[in-house]
Amino acid sequence: MAANACCDENKTLTRRGVLGRGLAAGAAGALAGLVGEGLSTRLAFASGAYAGDTLVVLSLRGGFDGLSAIAPIGDADYYKARPSIAVPKSQVIGGNAMFGLHPALAPLLPMWSNGSLAAVHAVGQPNPTRSHFAAMEEMERAAAGTSLRSGWLDRMLGVTGATGPLAGVSLGSAMPARLFAGAATDVSMASVDGFTMAGESANRPMAAALRAMYGTAPDLLAGPALAADAALAATVAPRAAYTPANGAAYPKTPLGTALRDVARLIKSRSGLVAAAVDSGDWDMHEGLGTAVKGQRMYDNLAETASALAAFAADLGPSGMADVTVVTVSEFGRRVAENASKGVDHGHGNAMLLMGGGVRGGTVYSAWPTLAPGALVDGDLAATTDYRAVIGEIMQKRCGLGSLAEVFPGVAPASFGLATAR
């Protein structure tokens, strides 16, 4: 594959605005958000019955290179395949004899050391593809071999009963919003504070527009809209002067800003069930770089780690006790570096897990090795379905008894990567 074969496809995705799908039954309306750069956040609020963890899904768009982030330093074939860009054993942090964390993940080392950060390696999805569009769609639908067209977070909300007027909110823009596609209520916005109806002035917030539109409407129409107004008032107003706690310093990046918003929503006790944050620029066909500051992979990982570390600091141990963060990506990268000192689209990948209920400080994996005969078309073999990893979290931390309605035909992983609530 040519070094820039997919770049235009990925850039198109990072500039696509997200259209809202409505407030609630009988109060649907098109909502518009401002276009962001490589970032999209979706939020879901429960009706009050949910008692599990807040699940934060961080999608690393473009094809995350798990072999750089969680380097298999104990596999000699790793260094044979990547003579220029492999992470040297002398530079990794954390980990064990087989795996080491990229040094740019240093902001997360305290969480690794206290057991609230873990990784899962050699994960993938069924029917893998090297197309960003197709892989993203399948990752967010997460129902291979079925006719389901909803997103897996939408199905999770249905199982947990999250049906309030702000049951699903898309905050930001950039990526096609498929995780919440389906029957659960969801609304799209560029930011909560700047939420406006399509066609309304940016100076007229959503709550004011709702009151004007539905103030004299029949109850059937006005009820859901005014309930949404009340929910906005309850969650937005108290956050106007928000200051992160515990000295947390979020980086001034789209990801840092998004995670800051997620943290303050959690602390506002507004019933947040799920937040899905997208961060792009992982499509490194060229110039991935060595494991030092100023190199592309290093700087991207450092930015991500700093944002996640600030998020954890802001919530503190008591807040993180009820939160689980999971990273996913549509696919990984090939094992061998290319002539442009980058890596092309591959399959097997790594996930990060962070939270108070995570059994961390280790890398979970049924490692297939990087021996040439163990690769699948030049890629790390995926020995664990990413849905099984999330499924174990859902059962142990989110209170789901069965995965059938969320991930049909998938059994939860049995790594023991989380404690039961």
Side-chain angles (χ1 to χ4, degrees):
M1 181 178 291
N4 295 312
C6 73
C7 293
D8 288 343
E9 179 184 7
N10 201 44
K11 285 179 180 177
T12 298
L13 288 171
T14 62
R15 288 165 172 77
R16 183 172 297 177
V18 180
L19 295 178
R21 287 195 289 272
L23 287 170
L31 305 170
L34 300 177
V35 174
E37 188 68 24
L39 176 77
S40 176
T41 307
R42 297 179 61 80
L43 308 169
F45 296 82
S47 58
Y50 181 71
D53 276 11
T54 298
L55 182 63
V56 181
V57 181
L58 171 55
S59 296
L60 303 173
R61 303 288 184 173
F64 183 65
D65 183 27
L67 290 170
S68 286
I70 311 295
I73 58 173
D75 193 321
D77 289 298
Y78 171 63
Y79 293 99
K80 294 176 184 177
R82 298 186 173 194
S84 301
I85 62 173
V87 182
K89 290 183 181 181
S90 61
Q91 289 182 240
V92 299
I93 58 176
N96 51 36
M98 176 56 72
F99 301 104
L101 277 63
H102 193 287
L105 296 177
L108 297 178
L109 188 57
M111 278 151 280
W112 182 270
S113 299
N114 70 24
S116 60
L117 175 71
V120 186
H121 223 316
V123 299
Q125 59 175 314
N127 307 319
T129 172
R130 300 184 199 276
S131 162
H132 288 293
F133 289 115
M136 285 180 191
E137 182 172 6
E138 283 304 302
M139 180 181 71
E140 295 174 347
R141 191 175 72 92
T146 76
S147 60
L148 286 173
R149 290 295 177 265
S150 55
W152 67 265
L153 276 180
D154 176 86
R155 299 194 295 270
M156 175 193 171
L157 295 183
V159 171
T160 59
T163 56
L166 292 181
V169 180
S170 176
L171 178 62
S173 54
M175 296 295 174
R178 287 183 289 258
L179 277 169
F180 284 94
T185 301
D186 90 84
V187 177
S188 296
M189 61 180 76
S191 67
V192 177
D193 293 333
F195 191 24
T196 60
M197 291 286 285
E200 290 283 342
S201 165
N203 295 320
R204 189 183 197 192
M206 184 67 180
L210 286 173
R211 288 191 293 271
M213 288 180 64
Y214 293 99
T216 59
D219 289 344
L220 181 63
L221 294 177
L226 296 180
D229 173 18
L232 282 168
T235 59
V236 176
R239 299 183 291 107
Y242 178 78
T243 299
N246 307 313
Y250 288 93
K252 294 180 180 179
T253 61
L255 178 58
T257 300
L259 287 175
R260 183 177 184 271
D261 276 347
V262 173
R264 58 187 183 178
L265 282 170
I266 291 171
K267 290 196 288 184
S268 73
R269 300 186 182 279
S270 50
L272 187 64
V273 172
V277 182
D278 289 356
S279 180
D281 196 29
W282 297 99
D283 196 19
M284 300 185 187
H285 288 276
E286 55 188 11
L288 179 145
T290 55
V292 296
K293 188 176 181 179
Q295 300 291 297
R296 189 176 176 192
M297 175 58 79
Y298 187 103
D299 290 351
N300 277 24
L301 285 174
E303 174 189 316
T304 302
S306 295
L308 287 170
F311 176 75
D314 192 0
L315 291 178
S318 60
M320 286 300 294
D322 297 317
V323 174
T324 300
V325 180
V326 178
T327 71
V328 296
S329 190
E330 68 264 34
F331 47 60
R333 315 301 294 191
R334 294 180 72 78
V335 173
E337 67 181 64
N338 60 30
S340 300
K341 301 297 186 286
V343 277
D344 297 320
H345 297 178
H347 296 312
N349 210 344
M351 300 170 66
L352 293 176
L353 308 175
M354 185 175 81
V358 172
R359 286 194 170 119
T362 192
V363 178
Y364 298 95
S365 182
W367 187 245
T369 82
L370 298 179
L375 303 184
V376 179
D377 294 330
D379 299 335
L380 169 66
T383 57
T384 300
D385 191 320
Y386 79 102
R387 299 172 298 173
V389 175
I390 299 171
E392 185 173 349
I393 293 294
M394 283 187 167
Q395 286 199 332
K396 292 182 176 178
R397 304 301 305 172
C398 302
L400 273 69
S402 169
L403 299 182
E405 292 184 54
V406 180
F407 298 135
V410 176
S414 56
F415 287 123
L417 49 79
T419 60
R421 284 183 62 96

